[in-house]
Amino acid sequence: MLTALAACMFGLPVSLGQAAPLHGIAMHGEPALPADYKHFSYVNPDVKKGGRIAYGVVGTFDSLNPFILKSMRTTARGMWDPEFGNLIYESLMVRSRDEAFSMYGLLAESVEWDGDRSFIEFHLNPKAHWADGQPVTPEDVIFSFELLRDKGRAPFSTRLNVVEKLEKTGEHSVRFTFNDKSDREAPLLIAFSPILPKHAIDPETFDRSSLALPLGSGPYKVKAVKPGERIVYERDPNYWGKDIPSKVGFDNYDEISVEYFLQDNSLFEAFKKGVIDVYQEGNPTKWTRNYDFPAVQTGTVIKDAVKSKLPPVMFGFVFNTRRPVFQNAELRKALSLAFDFQWVNRTLFENAYTRTESFWQNSELSSLNAPIDAREREIIGAAAGRIDPAVADGTFRFPVTDGSGRDRKVLRQAMDHFEKAGYSIKDGRMVDTSGKPLAFEIMTQNADQEKLALAYQRFLAALGVRVSLRTVDDSQYQSRSQTFDYDVIMKAFLSSLSPGLEQVRRWGTDARDRQGSENFAGVADPDLDRVMAAILSARTAEDFRSAVRLQDRMLLSGNYIVPLYHLGEQWIARNKHIGRPEMTPLWGFQLPAWWDENAQ
C-alpha cells in the first residue's frame, strides 16, 4: 500500500486517514511556493532589523482588544491589523500577498486536509510560544475558537458554525472536522483566525473593552499606551518565529508607534514635519498639488506610485434598503443614473479617476465585456430574468455625460426609471403616487465625503429630489454604521482576486440584521445567497470565475450602490529613511516588509 506521501508524489488521491502534511494550502489549485521555500518573493531576506517607524491614523482608541463588538472600531491599531501587521496576535497560517489566496505555515508548521475539505488538521510548530515563554498548545487553539464563538465579534464568532468537531489529536496537533454547512473556503478561514493564550485570558471579562496589556505570540510587545493618542510597540527579542520562512524579511523595526489624529489635515501636517514616516494618499488633487513642501524638494520625502494588480476598491453611495423608500429597485436605478461622474472628475479631481463599473473591474472576475455563460445560467436558473440585459451580455456601462452636471439626455434616462418606480415631478418636487416628496439624508464622516455628497445633492436637485447632508464625528459615524442608522452612507468595499465569505458578510441575508455586520445596504436576496454559495463551493477556477461574475451581475443589476471611481495606482509617500523592497507583490504595498535604512 502506498504511503500518503508517496500517493501525493504520484498524484494519486489521498484518503481521509492518509492525508499528507503540507507546508501550504490554496483556495484553488496549489500554492506557488515549494515546501523548501526560504522566504516570500517580495521581501528583502537580508534586511537588518533595527530602527523605528511612526504610523499615523485618524480616529481614537479606548481598547486593546480587537476581537469584540464593543471595541470593533476603537481598538488600538497594530494588535490584529491587515495594514500595519499582526504585531501582537498570530494565526495558524499566514497569507502570501503575491498569490490570490494561498497560505503558508506560521503557528502551524504543517497542515493536513482531504480532497473534499471535510477536515483540516494543524500541526503546531513546537518552537511556538507566547511572549511569557509558555508554549502555544492545541488547548490554546481550542480555547480561542470557543471563546471567540461565545464572546467575540463577527467574523470570528461565526467560524465554528461550520465545525462539527474540534479536537486535540496529538501533543502539537488539533483537528477541525466540518459539518454540512461548511464550504471550501472554511479551512482557510480557520487557518487565518487569531490564536489567544488560554492561561492569560479570563473568559468572564473578555467581552469588555480593556486597556490591559495583552499577551500574544507575535513579534512585538506593547511598550507604552496613551489612550486615544498613541500606542508604542517594541520588538520582542525572544520572538519564536523570526526565522521561519513566512516571517523572514518582516517585522524589521525595533520600535513601532501609531499616532492618532482628529483630522486628516492634522495627520498630513505631522507627516510634512517628519513626525509620521509614511502617508498613504488617495486624493489626486493633493497628490498633484500638495507635495511641494521642503522635505519633498530636498529628497527627504519620497513619493512612490505603483500600478495596482488587484480589482479596485468599490467606493460609492450605499442605499439602506431597510428604509422602505429604497426597497424600490427602479428608484435605486434612477438615483444611480443621476450621478454625473464626468462633472465630478473634471471639476473636483482634474480627471484623475476612472469610473468604477464592476465590483471586480480590471480582472477576469469582472462581468464587463463578458457575456453570461452556461455555468452562470445553471447557477441562477429562472432568476436570470432579474439581471439587467446590458449587464448580462457584458456591454453595461454608465452613461457618459457632457460634464455639465445637468446633461438633459442622461437626466431623461434617470427620469424614465423614476416614472417606472412610480414617481413624477410636480411643482418642482419629485413625488410618489400619493404626493409624498422624495427626500433622504446622506451621512458622511469627513470633508472629502461631504464634497462628493454636495455634488450628488446638486445633481438630484435638478430632478426635484431633496437631499440633506449630515457630517458626523468618527465615533458617531461608527456607531450609526454598526446599527444601520442612516438613509445613505458612503462606504468602500475592498476587492480581491479570491472573494469568499466576506461577500456573505456584505450581502448575505443572515447578515442583514446583525449589528456590526458589513451588510450596509441591507440586502436579503435568496437568489444572491445562492450565487455566493456557488462561489464558496467552487472546485475549479472556471466554476469560481463564473460564480463571481454572476455575483457581479446581480449586484450591478440590484443598484444597491452608486459606484463612484478608482485610481489605477497606489500612492504612498515616505520618509527617505524608510526603505522598501524593489518588488511590489500582487496585493500592493505591504508595510510590514519595509525597514529603517538607518539600521542598515
Side-chain angles (χ1 to χ4, degrees), residues 126 168 205 324 365 434 462 496 512 595:
K168 178 179 178 179
T205 60
L365 301 179
S434 67
S496 81
R512 180 184 187 274
W595 60 83

Side-chain angles (χ1 to χ4, degrees), residues 98 306-311 362-363 497 568 583-588:
D98 204 38
V306 298
K307 291 289 185 182
S308 175
K309 304 173 187 176
L310 288 179
N362 304 328
S363 81
L497 295 173
M583 176 184 173
T584 301
L586 177 68
W587 285 62

Side-chain angles (χ1 to χ4, degrees), residues 56 82 208 214 238 322 328 346 351 400:
R208 303 173 194 169
N238 299 313
R322 300 171 186 85
N328 187 321
R346 175 180 57 82
N351 289 317
V400 176

Side-chain angles (χ1 to χ4, degrees), residues 21 58 95 135 151 160 171 239 276 331 338 370 405 471 522 544 561:
V58 175
R95 195 168 187 167
K151 299 275 190 171
L160 285 185
E171 182 182 359
Y239 173 51
I276 301 302
L331 175 64
T471 299
F544 177 73
I561 289 180

Side-chain angles (χ1 to χ4, degrees), residues 64 71 83 111 119 186 213 234 270 273 370 462:
L64 301 185
S71 56
E83 185 178 4
V111 62
F119 78 95
L213 298 186
E234 62 181 350
K273 294 175 183 177

Side-chain angles (χ1 to χ4, degrees), residues 299-319:
T300 302
V301 164
I302 299 170
K303 295 173 65 178
D304 283 328
V306 298
K307 291 289 185 182
S308 175
K309 304 173 187 176
L310 288 179
V313 171
M314 170 58 78
F315 172 56
F317 295 98
V318 182
F319 301 116

Side-chain angles (χ1 to χ4, degrees), residues 198-406:
K198 181 178 181 180
H199 68 282
I201 291 177
D202 180 0
E204 292 300 316
T205 60
F206 181 75
D207 57 353
R208 303 173 194 169
S209 294
S210 173
L211 289 169
L213 298 186
L215 177 71
S217 63
Y220 290 87
K221 297 179 180 181
V222 176
K223 178 180 180 181
V225 177
K226 192 170 184 181
E229 297 182 26
R230 188 174 194 245
I231 183 167
V232 182
Y233 301 89
E234 62 181 350
R235 181 198 309 287
D236 182 354
N238 299 313
Y239 173 51
W240 71 273
K242 61 181 180 297
D243 296 322
I244 66 172
S246 64
K247 295 297 284 183
V248 169
F250 291 100
D251 314 315
N252 298 318
Y253 308 102
D254 283 343
E255 183 178 287
I256 297 173
S257 65
V258 183
E259 311 286 340
Y260 282 74
F261 298 86
L262 295 178
Q263 297 178 334
D264 186 68
N265 285 341
S266 301
L267 170 56
F268 187 60
E269 289 301 316
F271 171 69
K272 289 165 63 175
K273 294 175 183 177
V275 176
I276 301 302
D277 290 316
V278 295
Y279 184 87
Q280 298 189 60
E281 184 60 78
N283 185 316
T285 302
K286 279 181 60 180
W287 188 248
T288 301
R289 299 180 180 180
N290 291 19
Y291 287 79
D292 57 354
F293 50 92
V296 174
Q297 296 168 352
T298 62
T300 302
V301 164
I302 299 170
K303 295 173 65 178
D304 283 328
V306 298
K307 291 289 185 182
S308 175
K309 304 173 187 176
L310 288 179
V313 171
M314 170 58 78
F315 172 56
F317 295 98
V318 182
F319 301 116
N320 185 359
T321 63
R322 300 171 186 85
R323 301 286 201 253
V325 64
F326 293 126
Q327 291 172 6
N328 187 321
E330 284 292 345
L331 175 64
R332 299 196 301 269
K333 175 74 170 180
L335 292 169
S336 296
L337 288 171
F339 184 81
D340 191 334
F341 166 74
Q342 280 68 37
W343 185 92
V344 167
N345 199 31
R346 175 180 57 82
T347 305
L348 303 181
F349 302 121
E350 301 182 359
N351 289 317
Y353 285 117
T354 298
R355 184 74 190 265
T356 304
E357 298 175 299
S358 165
F359 284 77
W360 286 276
Q361 200 155 328
N362 304 328
S363 81
E364 66 171 8
L365 301 179
S366 173
S367 64
L368 296 181
N369 303 314
I372 190 168
D373 63 28
R375 176 59 178 145
E376 292 179 66
R377 293 190 181 280
E378 181 182 346
I379 295 169
I380 197 61
R386 297 180 53 197
I387 299 175
D388 183 296
V391 174
D393 65 22
T395 62
F396 166 76
R397 293 294 186 280
F398 281 107
V400 176
T401 73
D402 60 12
S404 67
R406 287 175 174 264

